[in-house]
PDB file of all heavy atoms in Angstrom:
ATOM      1  N   ALA E   1       0.817  -1.217   0.000  1.00  0.00           N
ATOM      2  CA  ALA E   1       0.000   0.000   0.000  1.00  0.00           C
ATOM      3  C   ALA E   1       0.848   1.263   0.000  1.00  0.00           C
ATOM      4  O   ALA E   1       0.481   2.267  -0.629  1.00  0.00           O
ATOM      5  CB  ALA E   1      -0.927  -0.006   1.222  1.00  0.00           C
ATOM      6  N   GLU E   2       1.997   1.243   0.695  1.00  0.00           N
ATOM      7  CA  GLU E   2       2.829   2.442   0.778  1.00  0.00           C
ATOM      8  C   GLU E   2       3.401   2.825  -0.586  1.00  0.00           C
ATOM      9  O   GLU E   2       3.581   4.010  -0.894  1.00  0.00           O
ATOM     10  CB  GLU E   2       3.957   2.266   1.799  1.00  0.00           C
ATOM     11  CG  GLU E   2       4.980   1.197   1.470  1.00  0.00           C
ATOM     12  CD  GLU E   2       4.625  -0.164   2.065  1.00  0.00           C
ATOM     13  OE1 GLU E   2       3.418  -0.435   2.198  1.00  0.00           O
ATOM     14  OE2 GLU E   2       5.548  -0.922   2.403  1.00  0.00           O
ATOM     15  N   TYR E   3       3.668   1.834  -1.437  1.00  0.00           N
ATOM     16  CA  TYR E   3       4.188   2.117  -2.765  1.00  0.00           C
ATOM     17  C   TYR E   3       3.085   2.696  -3.663  1.00  0.00           C
ATOM     18  O   TYR E   3       3.350   3.568  -4.498  1.00  0.00           O
ATOM     19  CB  TYR E   3       4.775   0.861  -3.404  1.00  0.00           C
ATOM     20  CG  TYR E   3       5.985   0.315  -2.686  1.00  0.00           C
ATOM     21  CD1 TYR E   3       6.379  -1.017  -2.851  1.00  0.00           C
ATOM     22  CD2 TYR E   3       6.748   1.113  -1.844  1.00  0.00           C
ATOM     23  CE1 TYR E   3       7.491  -1.530  -2.205  1.00  0.00           C
ATOM     24  CE2 TYR E   3       7.866   0.610  -1.178  1.00  0.00           C
ATOM     25  CZ  TYR E   3       8.222  -0.714  -1.362  1.00  0.00           C
ATOM     26  OH  TYR E   3       9.331  -1.214  -0.703  1.00  0.00           O
ATOM     27  N   ILE E   4       1.878   2.182  -3.478  1.00  0.00           N
ATOM     28  CA  ILE E   4       0.745   2.706  -4.248  1.00  0.00           C
ATOM     29  C   ILE E   4       0.470   4.159  -3.852  1.00  0.00           C
ATOM     30  O   ILE E   4       0.215   5.023  -4.708  1.00  0.00           O
ATOM     31  CB  ILE E   4      -0.515   1.847  -4.015  1.00  0.00           C
ATOM     32  CG1 ILE E   4      -0.253   0.397  -4.446  1.00  0.00           C
ATOM     33  CG2 ILE E   4      -1.701   2.431  -4.779  1.00  0.00           C
ATOM     34  CD1 ILE E   4       0.146   0.231  -5.892  1.00  0.00           C
ATOM     35  N   LEU E   5       0.551   4.427  -2.541  1.00  0.00           N
ATOM     36  CA  LEU E   5       0.359   5.800  -2.073  1.00  0.00           C
ATOM     37  C   LEU E   5       1.456   6.716  -2.617  1.00  0.00           C
ATOM     38  O   LEU E   5       1.196   7.876  -2.966  1.00  0.00           O
ATOM     39  CB  LEU E   5       0.363   5.833  -0.543  1.00  0.00           C
ATOM     40  CG  LEU E   5      -0.868   5.277   0.152  1.00  0.00           C
ATOM     41  CD1 LEU E   5      -0.652   5.239   1.671  1.00  0.00           C
ATOM     42  CD2 LEU E   5      -2.098   6.143  -0.168  1.00  0.00           C
ATOM     43  N   LEU E   6       2.660   6.187  -2.688  1.00  0.00           N
ATOM     44  CA  LEU E   6       3.797   6.966  -3.167  1.00  0.00           C
ATOM     45  C   LEU E   6       3.612   7.372  -4.625  1.00  0.00           C
ATOM     46  O   LEU E   6       3.780   8.544  -4.985  1.00  0.00           O
ATOM     47  CB  LEU E   6       5.077   6.145  -3.009  1.00  0.00           C
ATOM     48  CG  LEU E   6       6.410   6.884  -3.150  1.00  0.00           C
ATOM     49  CD1 LEU E   6       6.536   7.967  -2.091  1.00  0.00           C
ATOM     50  CD2 LEU E   6       7.558   5.897  -3.050  1.00  0.00           C
ATOM     51  N   VAL E   7       3.255   6.418  -5.473  1.00  0.00           N
ATOM     52  CA  VAL E   7       3.077   6.738  -6.889  1.00  0.00           C
ATOM     53  C   VAL E   7       1.834   7.603  -7.094  1.00  0.00           C
ATOM     54  O   VAL E   7       1.799   8.457  -7.996  1.00  0.00           O
ATOM     55  CB  VAL E   7       3.017   5.442  -7.737  1.00  0.00           C
ATOM     56  CG1 VAL E   7       1.660   4.745  -7.603  1.00  0.00           C
ATOM     57  CG2 VAL E   7       3.315   5.753  -9.196  1.00  0.00           C
ATOM     58  N   THR E   8       0.837   7.426  -6.225  1.00  0.00           N
ATOM     59  CA  THR E   8      -0.367   8.267  -6.308  1.00  0.00           C
ATOM     60  C   THR E   8      -0.035   9.715  -5.971  1.00  0.00           C
ATOM     61  O   THR E   8      -0.528  10.644  -6.624  1.00  0.00           O
ATOM     62  CB  THR E   8      -1.453   7.748  -5.345  1.00  0.00           C
ATOM     63  OG1 THR E   8      -1.798   6.408  -5.695  1.00  0.00           O
ATOM     64  CG2 THR E   8      -2.702   8.618  -5.428  1.00  0.00           C
ATOM     65  N   ALA E   9       0.801   9.909  -4.962  1.00  0.00           N
ATOM     66  CA  ALA E   9       1.201  11.273  -4.571  1.00  0.00           C
ATOM     67  C   ALA E   9       1.929  11.962  -5.722  1.00  0.00           C
ATOM     68  O   ALA E   9       1.702  13.146  -6.000  1.00  0.00           O
ATOM     69  CB  ALA E   9       2.085  11.220  -3.331  1.00  0.00           C
ATOM     70  N   HIS E  10       2.816  11.238  -6.389  1.00  0.00           N
ATOM     71  CA  HIS E  10       3.511  11.820  -7.538  1.00  0.00           C
ATOM     72  C   HIS E  10       2.536  12.134  -8.665  1.00  0.00           C
ATOM     73  O   HIS E  10       2.645  13.170  -9.338  1.00  0.00           O
ATOM     74  CB  HIS E  10       4.607  10.873  -8.041  1.00  0.00           C
ATOM     75  CG  HIS E  10       5.840  10.875  -7.196  1.00  0.00           C
ATOM     76  ND1 HIS E  10       5.968  10.119  -6.054  1.00  0.00           N
ATOM     77  CD2 HIS E  10       7.010  11.553  -7.325  1.00  0.00           C
ATOM     78  CE1 HIS E  10       7.163  10.315  -5.526  1.00  0.00           C
ATOM     79  NE2 HIS E  10       7.815  11.182  -6.263  1.00  0.00           N
ATOM     80  N   GLY E  11       1.587  11.232  -8.868  1.00  0.00           N
ATOM     81  CA  GLY E  11       0.577  11.470  -9.898  1.00  0.00           C
ATOM     82  C   GLY E  11      -0.243  12.705  -9.602  1.00  0.00           C
ATOM     83  O   GLY E  11      -0.562  13.497 -10.510  1.00  0.00           O
ATOM     84  N   LEU E  12      -0.584  12.909  -8.329  1.00  0.00           N
ATOM     85  CA  LEU E  12      -1.341  14.105  -7.946  1.00  0.00           C
ATOM     86  C   LEU E  12      -0.536  15.378  -8.172  1.00  0.00           C
ATOM     87  O   LEU E  12      -1.075  16.404  -8.604  1.00  0.00           O
ATOM     88  CB  LEU E  12      -1.759  14.002  -6.472  1.00  0.00           C
ATOM     89  CG  LEU E  12      -2.893  13.032  -6.154  1.00  0.00           C
ATOM     90  CD1 LEU E  12      -3.082  12.915  -4.629  1.00  0.00           C
ATOM     91  CD2 LEU E  12      -4.192  13.504  -6.806  1.00  0.00           C
ATOM     92  N   LEU E  13       0.769  15.317  -7.869  1.00  0.00           N
ATOM     93  CA  LEU E  13       1.621  16.492  -8.075  1.00  0.00           C
ATOM     94  C   LEU E  13       1.666  16.881  -9.545  1.00  0.00           C
ATOM     95  O   LEU E  13       1.418  18.047  -9.897  1.00  0.00           O
ATOM     96  CB  LEU E  13       3.041  16.189  -7.578  1.00  0.00           C
ATOM     97  CG  LEU E  13       4.097  17.267  -7.887  1.00  0.00           C
ATOM     98  CD1 LEU E  13       3.753  18.580  -7.194  1.00  0.00           C
ATOM     99  CD2 LEU E  13       5.490  16.788  -7.476  1.00  0.00           C
ATOM    100  N   PHE E  14       1.952  15.916 -10.414  1.00  0.00           N
ATOM    101  CA  PHE E  14       2.044  16.221 -11.841  1.00  0.00           C
ATOM    102  C   PHE E  14       0.673  16.523 -12.437  1.00  0.00           C
ATOM    103  O   PHE E  14       0.554  17.363 -13.330  1.00  0.00           O
ATOM    104  CB  PHE E  14       2.717  15.062 -12.585  1.00  0.00           C
ATOM    105  CG  PHE E  14       4.187  14.951 -12.306  1.00  0.00           C
ATOM    106  CD1 PHE E  14       4.685  13.957 -11.468  1.00  0.00           C
ATOM    107  CD2 PHE E  14       5.086  15.848 -12.864  1.00  0.00           C
ATOM    108  CE1 PHE E  14       6.047  13.855 -11.212  1.00  0.00           C
ATOM    109  CE2 PHE E  14       6.449  15.758 -12.610  1.00  0.00           C
ATOM    110  CZ  PHE E  14       6.928  14.765 -11.777  1.00  0.00           C
ATOM    111  N   GLY E  15      -0.343  15.849 -11.924  1.00  0.00           N
ATOM    112  CA  GLY E  15      -1.694  16.140 -12.393  1.00  0.00           C
ATOM    113  C   GLY E  15      -2.118  17.553 -12.014  1.00  0.00           C
ATOM    114  O   GLY E  15      -2.739  18.269 -12.811  1.00  0.00           O
ATOM    115  N   SER E  16      -1.785  17.962 -10.784  1.00  0.00           N
ATOM    116  CA  SER E  16      -2.106  19.319 -10.333  1.00  0.00           C
ATOM    117  C   SER E  16      -1.364  20.356 -11.176  1.00  0.00           C
ATOM    118  O   SER E  16      -1.917  21.399 -11.515  1.00  0.00           O
ATOM    119  CB  SER E  16      -1.729  19.492  -8.863  1.00  0.00           C
ATOM    120  OG  SER E  16      -2.477  18.630  -8.044  1.00  0.00           O
ATOM    121  N   ALA E  17      -0.100  20.045 -11.503  1.00  0.00           N
ATOM    122  CA  ALA E  17       0.678  20.966 -12.337  1.00  0.00           C
ATOM    123  C   ALA E  17       0.052  21.097 -13.719  1.00  0.00           C
ATOM    124  O   ALA E  17      -0.044  22.204 -14.271  1.00  0.00           O
ATOM    125  CB  ALA E  17       2.120  20.474 -12.452  1.00  0.00           C
ATOM    126  N   LEU E  18      -0.396  19.975 -14.284  1.00  0.00           N
ATOM    127  CA  LEU E  18      -1.046  20.007 -15.593  1.00  0.00           C
ATOM    128  C   LEU E  18      -2.349  20.786 -15.523  1.00  0.00           C
ATOM    129  O   LEU E  18      -2.659  21.594 -16.418  1.00  0.00           O
ATOM    130  CB  LEU E  18      -1.305  18.572 -16.070  1.00  0.00           C
ATOM    131  CG  LEU E  18      -1.899  18.415 -17.472  1.00  0.00           C
ATOM    132  CD1 LEU E  18      -0.933  18.969 -18.520  1.00  0.00           C
ATOM    133  CD2 LEU E  18      -2.204  16.935 -17.750  1.00  0.00           C
ATOM    134  N   PHE E  19      -3.109  20.577 -14.456  1.00  0.00           N
ATOM    135  CA  PHE E  19      -4.352  21.321 -14.248  1.00  0.00           C
ATOM    136  C   PHE E  19      -4.053  22.812 -14.098  1.00  0.00           C
ATOM    137  O   PHE E  19      -4.735  23.666 -14.671  1.00  0.00           O
ATOM    138  CB  PHE E  19      -5.061  20.788 -12.999  1.00  0.00           C
ATOM    139  CG  PHE E  19      -6.333  21.499 -12.656  1.00  0.00           C
ATOM    140  CD1 PHE E  19      -7.472  21.347 -13.439  1.00  0.00           C
ATOM    141  CD2 PHE E  19      -6.398  22.331 -11.542  1.00  0.00           C
ATOM    142  CE1 PHE E  19      -8.652  22.004 -13.110  1.00  0.00           C
ATOM    143  CE2 PHE E  19      -7.557  22.992 -11.209  1.00  0.00           C
ATOM    144  CZ  PHE E  19      -8.699  22.821 -11.997  1.00  0.00           C
ATOM    145  N   GLY E  20      -2.995  23.127 -13.339  1.00  0.00           N
ATOM    146  CA  GLY E  20      -2.638  24.524 -13.114  1.00  0.00           C
ATOM    147  C   GLY E  20      -2.220  25.246 -14.369  1.00  0.00           C
ATOM    148  O   GLY E  20      -2.376  26.460 -14.488  1.00  0.00           O
ATOM    149  N   MET E  21      -1.668  24.509 -15.331  1.00  0.00           N
ATOM    150  CA  MET E  21      -1.243  25.122 -16.589  1.00  0.00           C
ATOM    151  C   MET E  21      -2.423  25.748 -17.321  1.00  0.00           C
ATOM    152  O   MET E  21      -2.264  26.721 -18.059  1.00  0.00           O
ATOM    153  CB  MET E  21      -0.567  24.065 -17.462  1.00  0.00           C
ATOM    154  CG  MET E  21      -0.026  24.590 -18.771  1.00  0.00           C
ATOM    155  SD  MET E  21       1.099  23.406 -19.588  1.00  0.00           S
ATOM    156  CE  MET E  21       0.011  21.987 -19.782  1.00  0.00           C
ATOM    157  N   TYR E  22      -3.618  25.210 -17.102  1.00  0.00           N
ATOM    158  CA  TYR E  22      -4.816  25.714 -17.784  1.00  0.00           C
ATOM    159  C   TYR E  22      -5.720  26.522 -16.860  1.00  0.00           C
ATOM    160  O   TYR E  22      -6.860  26.811 -17.202  1.00  0.00           O
ATOM    161  CB  TYR E  22      -5.604  24.541 -18.384  1.00  0.00           C
ATOM    162  CG  TYR E  22      -4.826  23.781 -19.418  1.00  0.00           C
ATOM    163  CD1 TYR E  22      -4.212  22.565 -19.099  1.00  0.00           C
ATOM    164  CD2 TYR E  22      -4.675  24.285 -20.707  1.00  0.00           C
ATOM    165  CE1 TYR E  22      -3.479  21.868 -20.046  1.00  0.00           C
ATOM    166  CE2 TYR E  22      -3.949  23.589 -21.664  1.00  0.00           C
ATOM    167  CZ  TYR E  22      -3.351  22.384 -21.324  1.00  0.00           C
ATOM    168  OH  TYR E  22      -2.617  21.700 -22.268  1.00  0.00           O
ATOM    169  N   GLN E  23      -5.201  26.893 -15.682  1.00  0.00           N
ATOM    170  CA  GLN E  23      -6.006  27.655 -14.715  1.00  0.00           C
ATOM    171  C   GLN E  23      -5.361  29.002 -14.404  1.00  0.00           C
ATOM    172  O   GLN E  23      -5.481  29.529 -13.309  1.00  0.00           O
ATOM    173  CB  GLN E  23      -6.153  26.852 -13.416  1.00  0.00           C
ATOM    174  CG  GLN E  23      -6.770  25.489 -13.583  1.00  0.00           C
ATOM    175  CD  GLN E  23      -8.197  25.558 -14.081  1.00  0.00           C
ATOM    176  OE1 GLN E  23      -9.005  26.353 -13.588  1.00  0.00           O
ATOM    177  NE2 GLN E  23      -8.528  24.748 -15.071  1.00  0.00           N
ATOM    178  N   GLN E  24      -4.644  29.576 -15.364  1.00  0.00           N
ATOM    179  CA  GLN E  24      -3.798  30.719 -15.081  1.00  0.00           C
ATOM    180  C   GLN E  24      -4.551  31.977 -14.658  1.00  0.00           C
ATOM    181  O   GLN E  24      -4.021  32.822 -13.967  1.00  0.00           O
ATOM    182  CB  GLN E  24      -2.927  31.033 -16.300  1.00  0.00           C
ATOM    183  CG  GLN E  24      -1.907  29.952 -16.594  1.00  0.00           C
ATOM    184  CD  GLN E  24      -0.973  29.716 -15.418  1.00  0.00           C
ATOM    185  OE1 GLN E  24      -0.230  30.593 -15.005  1.00  0.00           O
ATOM    186  NE2 GLN E  24      -1.009  28.533 -14.851  1.00  0.00           N
ATOM    187  N   ASN E  25      -5.778  32.141 -15.040  1.00  0.00           N
ATOM    188  CA  ASN E  25      -6.504  33.368 -14.690  1.00  0.00           C
ATOM    189  C   ASN E  25      -7.828  33.064 -13.996  1.00  0.00           C
ATOM    190  O   ASN E  25      -8.811  33.778 -14.166  1.00  0.00           O
ATOM    191  CB  ASN E  25      -6.740  34.217 -15.948  1.00  0.00           C
ATOM    192  CG  ASN E  25      -5.440  34.787 -16.494  1.00  0.00           C
ATOM    193  OD1 ASN E  25      -4.686  35.432 -15.771  1.00  0.00           O
ATOM    194  ND2 ASN E  25      -5.161  34.521 -17.756  1.00  0.00           N
ATOM    195  N   ARG E  26      -7.840  32.010 -13.203  1.00  0.00           N
ATOM    196  CA  ARG E  26      -9.053  31.644 -12.485  1.00  0.00           C
ATOM    197  C   ARG E  26      -8.808  31.705 -10.985  1.00  0.00           C
ATOM    198  O   ARG E  26      -7.732  31.383 -10.512  1.00  0.00           O
ATOM    199  CB  ARG E  26      -9.515  30.242 -12.897  1.00  0.00           C
ATOM    200  CG  ARG E  26      -9.908  30.175 -14.377  1.00  0.00           C
ATOM    201  CD  ARG E  26     -10.505  28.833 -14.728  1.00  0.00           C
ATOM    202  NE  ARG E  26     -10.868  28.770 -16.136  1.00  0.00           N
ATOM    203  CZ  ARG E  26     -11.443  27.729 -16.710  1.00  0.00           C
ATOM    204  NH1 ARG E  26     -11.729  26.654 -15.990  1.00  0.00           N
ATOM    205  NH2 ARG E  26     -11.730  27.744 -17.989  1.00  0.00           N
ATOM    206  N   GLN E  27      -9.842  32.093 -10.252  1.00  0.00           N
ATOM    207  CA  GLN E  27      -9.748  32.239  -8.806  1.00  0.00           C
ATOM    208  C   GLN E  27     -10.074  30.925  -8.122  1.00  0.00           C
ATOM    209  O   GLN E  27     -10.598  29.997  -8.736  1.00  0.00           O
ATOM    210  CB  GLN E  27     -10.727  33.330  -8.330  1.00  0.00           C
ATOM    211  CG  GLN E  27     -10.450  34.702  -8.911  1.00  0.00           C
ATOM    212  CD  GLN E  27      -9.298  35.406  -8.210  1.00  0.00           C
ATOM    213  OE1 GLN E  27      -8.657  34.829  -7.341  1.00  0.00           O
ATOM    214  NE2 GLN E  27      -9.026  36.640  -8.589  1.00  0.00           N
ATOM    215  N   GLY E  28      -9.767  30.847  -6.822  1.00  0.00           N
ATOM    216  CA  GLY E  28     -10.090  29.662  -6.050  1.00  0.00           C
ATOM    217  C   GLY E  28      -8.862  29.022  -5.448  1.00  0.00           C
ATOM    218  O   GLY E  28      -7.769  29.093  -6.023  1.00  0.00           O
ATOM    219  N   VAL E  29      -9.040  28.402  -4.275  1.00  0.00           N
ATOM    220  CA  VAL E  29      -7.918  27.776  -3.570  1.00  0.00           C
ATOM    221  C   VAL E  29      -7.308  26.660  -4.403  1.00  0.00           C
ATOM    222  O   VAL E  29      -6.077  26.544  -4.525  1.00  0.00           O
ATOM    223  CB  VAL E  29      -8.386  27.231  -2.204  1.00  0.00           C
ATOM    224  CG1 VAL E  29      -7.254  26.470  -1.524  1.00  0.00           C
ATOM    225  CG2 VAL E  29      -8.872  28.366  -1.314  1.00  0.00           C
ATOM    226  N   LEU E  30      -8.146  25.816  -4.993  1.00  0.00           N
ATOM    227  CA  LEU E  30      -7.661  24.694  -5.785  1.00  0.00           C
ATOM    228  C   LEU E  30      -6.842  25.184  -6.976  1.00  0.00           C
ATOM    229  O   LEU E  30      -5.782  24.638  -7.283  1.00  0.00           O
ATOM    230  CB  LEU E  30      -8.836  23.845  -6.275  1.00  0.00           C
ATOM    231  CG  LEU E  30      -8.470  22.592  -7.096  1.00  0.00           C
ATOM    232  CD1 LEU E  30      -7.636  21.639  -6.243  1.00  0.00           C
ATOM    233  CD2 LEU E  30      -9.737  21.890  -7.588  1.00  0.00           C
ATOM    234  N   GLN E  31      -7.342  26.236  -7.622  1.00  0.00           N
ATOM    235  CA  GLN E  31      -6.630  26.790  -8.782  1.00  0.00           C
ATOM    236  C   GLN E  31      -5.273  27.364  -8.371  1.00  0.00           C
ATOM    237  O   GLN E  31      -4.274  27.185  -9.064  1.00  0.00           O
ATOM    238  CB  GLN E  31      -7.483  27.868  -9.454  1.00  0.00           C
ATOM    239  CG  GLN E  31      -8.646  27.342 -10.275  1.00  0.00           C
ATOM    240  CD  GLN E  31      -9.837  26.950  -9.414  1.00  0.00           C
ATOM    241  OE1 GLN E  31      -9.816  27.126  -8.196  1.00  0.00           O
ATOM    242  NE2 GLN E  31     -10.882  26.420 -10.042  1.00  0.00           N
ATOM    243  N   ARG E  32      -5.243  28.048  -7.234  1.00  0.00           N
ATOM    244  CA  ARG E  32      -3.983  28.637  -6.765  1.00  0.00           C
ATOM    245  C   ARG E  32      -2.964  27.565  -6.421  1.00  0.00           C
ATOM    246  O   ARG E  32      -1.782  27.670  -6.766  1.00  0.00           O
ATOM    247  CB  ARG E  32      -4.255  29.527  -5.553  1.00  0.00           C
ATOM    248  CG  ARG E  32      -5.020  30.806  -5.890  1.00  0.00           C
ATOM    249  CD  ARG E  32      -5.288  31.615  -4.648  1.00  0.00           C
ATOM    250  NE  ARG E  32      -6.047  32.815  -4.964  1.00  0.00           N
ATOM    251  CZ  ARG E  32      -6.492  33.692  -4.063  1.00  0.00           C
ATOM    252  NH1 ARG E  32      -6.237  33.475  -2.776  1.00  0.00           N
ATOM    253  NH2 ARG E  32      -7.163  34.744  -4.432  1.00  0.00           N
TER     254      ARG E  32
END
């Protein structure tokens, strides 16, 4: 389980970065 959590955390980081690339002029905590 710890390895699955580890790869999931990395996926969330890169996924958030990809999401952020398209949220440049939008408000909100998640967007920031």
Side-chain angles (χ1 to χ4, degrees):
E2 64 268 31
Y3 295 159
I4 300 301
L5 287 174
L6 194 61
V7 76
T8 300
H10 283 84
L12 286 173
L13 173 63
F14 288 105
S16 297
L18 184 63
F19 178 71
M21 183 167 59
Y22 298 101
Q23 302 296 314
Q24 293 301 297
N25 292 307
R26 296 186 180 182
Q27 299 281 4
V29 175
L30 182 62
Q31 285 79 3
R32 290 178 182 176

